[in-house]
Amino acid sequence: MIIHNLDTSNSVLNHFVSEIRDVEIQKDAMRFRKNIERIGEILSYELSKELHFSESTVQTPLGEKIISKVTDNIVLCSILRAGLPLHLGILNYFDKIENAFISAYRHHTSPEEFEIKVEYLASPSLDNKILILADPMLATGSSLCEVYEIMKKLGEIKEIHIVAVIASTQGIDHIANHFPANTHLWVATVDQKLNAKGYIVPGLGDAGDLAFGNKL
Ligand code: URA
């Protein structure tokens, strides 16, 4: 797996990540969603540098200019529901791509044990396409692996790019063993710990709840 941790150099990205982590600022759900969206935009910009380009000519009112543009067919798949603000941010930059949605949630068999349940999938064919998988919190990595097992049946995927906001080192190690070696991981920052419930520490809490409110 090729890991791109954007935290290794300072940028305005730090401000957005700091706000989603901050226990007071994150209470503003609209701001929380907006910051995740902005992080999605920055990660998309970085990711775009690894795509395939070919030259085309643009006609301006005053002349012609040759510009390289992305040629890949891309499908963006987000894991519901926390992935939605990240999905919007990525879509702001790759506005003509296809979209897929999959639900994956933790079904707790005890307070500290869970299995991943997938109940909903809507996706185009993935044949010869770049698959971007958006999951804001890469904690244990189990949901991403479960999702990959399902998505790989939808066609011969050309290349996979995983986009995450916060990843745990344990989660990264886990997915590195499941995804093809040429898979890229784009992450805004990495934390070292998971707690007994599989939450990232210090992390930010429950991204789905912060974006969309508590659930039963
Ligand atoms: N999902 C979240 O929203 N937060 C975590 O820390 C882990 C999984």
Side-chain angles (χ1 to χ4, degrees), residues 162-201:
I162 297 167
V163 175
V165 176
I166 305 180
S168 75
T169 42
Q170 187 181 318
I172 294 174
D173 290 346
H174 186 66
I175 63 166
N177 288 326
H178 281 77
F179 279 81
N182 66 346
T183 300
H184 291 259
L185 169 66
W186 302 89
V187 62
T189 187
V190 176
D191 286 355
Q192 303 306 318
K193 284 194 216 148
L194 285 182
N195 69 14
K197 291 187 168 169
Y199 275 77
I200 301 174
V201 179

Side-chain angles (χ1 to χ4, degrees), residues 106 137 139 198-200 205-207:
R106 293 175 172 188
M137 304 298 282
Y199 275 77
I200 301 174
D206 190 303

